[in-house]
Structure formats: structure tokens, C-alpha cells
Amino acid sequence: MNSIMEGKQMNLRILPKDKQDIKSVEVLARMDRAVVVPFIPDLLIWLQDINWPIASAMVELLLKYKVETIPHIKSIFSQNDYVWSYNILAYLLKEWEPDLVSKLTSNLLELARNRDEHEDIDLLAIDILWSCRLIEANDVTALLQEKMDDTKGELDRFTVEQIAVYKELEIERLSILNSDVKQIVTYIDLNRETLNQKVQYENWLRRHQEIEVMARNYIDII
């Protein structure tokens, strides 16, 4: 029993200690699959922020364990952690073969049908489903039309007068940055509520434009 515990403790010590610990990933890459597989849930944690130094090395390692990661990826998708899920889609699943991606079809369809106005996971899920031919063309166009209507509805909540104010605030912001950057704090304090509305408007506008581009691309393909 003591030898088993010692073995577990030794294996735990090979796991990355922090987001800079690329050396541990290099050690794991040289180890037997039987040693690495039990720690896949711990390794996937390091994809929560793709900007961490360890993240790209961890992606390369996890791409060697595609089948073994499937149940853990399903669990991540169920947690509503949009940034983490986006990283899984963009950096792992985009590199998988269609037959493996197909094992996550139901999860991807759920992501595709949900609305994600911040990370656009739904759009990425649609892209992966279509590129792997796991969704019909008419379903793609129906989903995109639904999302187009959704963004249009959100944008229609903003009046012409509000949009004009947002444009004036942007001109003022650029002027401050080009003249006296120290005034930016006062600018934010005086306009905080309107600036928050401006961010919401700009995000919906960005999403609307991305769906438009995506729809045009799919029309050309389909």
C-alpha cells in the first residue's frame, strides 16, 4: 500500500506547478500513456487561458490524447465556462479528425444552438460541425438566420440618438489619448453608464457583422 501511495505522490509531482512551468509539460510528453492519461483533467485546466505561457505546449501534448480527452471535454462544456470551452474548440477540436469530433456531436449542437454574445462559441461550434459534415446545410443556414435575427433585435434596442452619442464619446476618447492621457480617468468617471451601453452596442454590432460574413461564406460553400 505504501508503494502505491508513493507512486501516486511521485506522479503528482510531475504535474505543472504554475502557468510558467513548461518544463513539466516536456517531461509529461516523454512519459508512458498509462502515466499521463489519469491526469488529463488536471492538464486540461491549463487551457483555461490560452495566453498562459504553458498553454501552447499543453495543446501539443493533449493532441496526442484525443480519445482520452473526450469525456473530460464533455464535462467542461457542461460547466458554462465560455472562455475555457472556446479554447477547447479553437485549439483542440479544430485539429481533430471528423470521426473523433463526431463523438461530441450532441455537445457541439447544444453549443451551436445556445447564444454566446461574448466569445461566439456558438458560431465556432457551427463552423466545426459544418467542416466535419456533422450538420446539414439547411440546419446551418437556419441557425445563422436565427442568430442574425437575434442580433438585429438587440441592435434595434439602441436609438439613433444613443448611437450618435457613442460616436461622439469615441471621438472624445481618441482626442484624450492623443493629447492628455491623464484625463481618461475623469472621462470614464463622467460617462461610465453611457460607456457601458456603448460597449454593449459595439459588441452586438461586432457579432452581427461576424454572422453576416459567416452566412455569406456558407452561401458560397453550400
Side-chain angles (χ1 to χ4, degrees):
M1 182 65 69
N2 288 338
S3 62
I4 294 174
M5 290 299 296
E6 287 173 5
K8 287 184 177 179
Q9 290 173 355
M10 181 190 74
N11 287 342
L12 284 170
R13 286 197 292 271
I14 67 174
L15 290 176
K17 310 300 185 297
D18 54 55
K19 61 186 178 182
Q20 309 281 348
D21 191 6
I22 299 174
K23 185 67 72 176
S24 288
V25 185
E26 294 172 351
V27 171
L28 284 163
R30 297 193 295 269
M31 302 195 79
D32 291 339
R33 297 182 73 85
V35 175
V36 177
V37 167
F39 295 106
I40 285 176
D42 302 283
L43 303 182
L44 282 164
I45 289 171
W46 297 105
L47 299 189
Q48 289 179 332
D49 187 337
I50 207 65
N51 295 309
W52 287 338
I54 196 174
S56 60
M58 189 60 75
V59 166
E60 288 185 28
L61 174 63
L62 288 170
L63 284 173
K64 300 176 181 177
Y65 296 89
K66 298 170 186 175
V67 173
E68 292 87 350
T69 62
I70 288 173
H72 308 297
I73 287 174
K74 289 182 178 181
S75 175
I76 291 169
F77 287 163
S78 70
Q79 295 176 36
N80 295 322
D81 186 322
Y82 294 115
V83 174
W84 196 6
S85 294
Y86 180 91
N87 292 339
I88 296 294
L89 291 173
Y91 298 96
L92 287 183
L93 264 64
K94 288 280 278 188
E95 302 299 322
W96 285 16
E97 298 81 5
D99 64 316
L100 284 177
V101 177
S102 69
K103 301 189 183 300
L104 291 163
T105 299
S106 61
N107 306 88
L108 291 170
L109 283 170
E110 184 176 356
L111 292 175
R113 290 169 184 146
N114 289 338
R115 182 174 89 171
D116 175 21
E117 65 267 29
H118 299 294
E119 301 299 326
D120 294 337
I121 290 176
D122 51 348
L123 304 185
L124 183 52
I126 291 171
D127 183 56
I128 291 172
L129 284 164
W130 174 250
S131 57
C132 293
R133 296 302 186 266
L134 300 173
I135 189 172
E136 298 294 332
N138 59 329
D139 291 326
V140 171
T141 53
L143 277 169
L144 291 177
Q145 186 59 57
E146 180 183 324
K147 292 175 188 301
M148 182 72 74
D149 294 342
D150 181 49
T151 56
K152 180 73 164 52
E154 292 293 339
L155 287 170
D156 285 346
R157 293 169 49 217
F158 297 90
T159 66
V160 173
E161 291 76 17
Q162 284 179 302
I163 295 170
V165 170
Y166 302 155
K167 290 179 179 178
E168 290 174 4
L169 282 173
E170 182 62 14
I171 292 171
E172 183 180 350
R173 184 184 74 87
L174 293 174
S175 176
I176 290 170
L177 293 177
N178 289 325
S179 56
D180 185 4
V181 72
K182 287 186 278 188
Q183 295 300 316
I184 199 71
V185 175
T186 303
Y187 162 84
I188 292 172
D189 287 341
L190 290 174
N191 301 287
R192 191 175 300 277
E193 184 176 350
T194 307
L195 287 171
N196 286 337
Q197 295 171 358
K198 176 176 177 289
V199 168
Q200 292 174 1
Y201 169 76
E202 290 172 343
N203 192 53
W204 282 114
L205 183 61
R206 172 202 58 76
R207 180 168 164 81
H208 185 78
Q209 292 168 343
E210 288 186 8
I211 295 170
E212 275 189 325
V213 170
M214 193 171 180
R216 283 199 299 270
N217 290 339
Y218 279 121
I219 288 171
D220 293 338
I221 294 171
I222 295 167

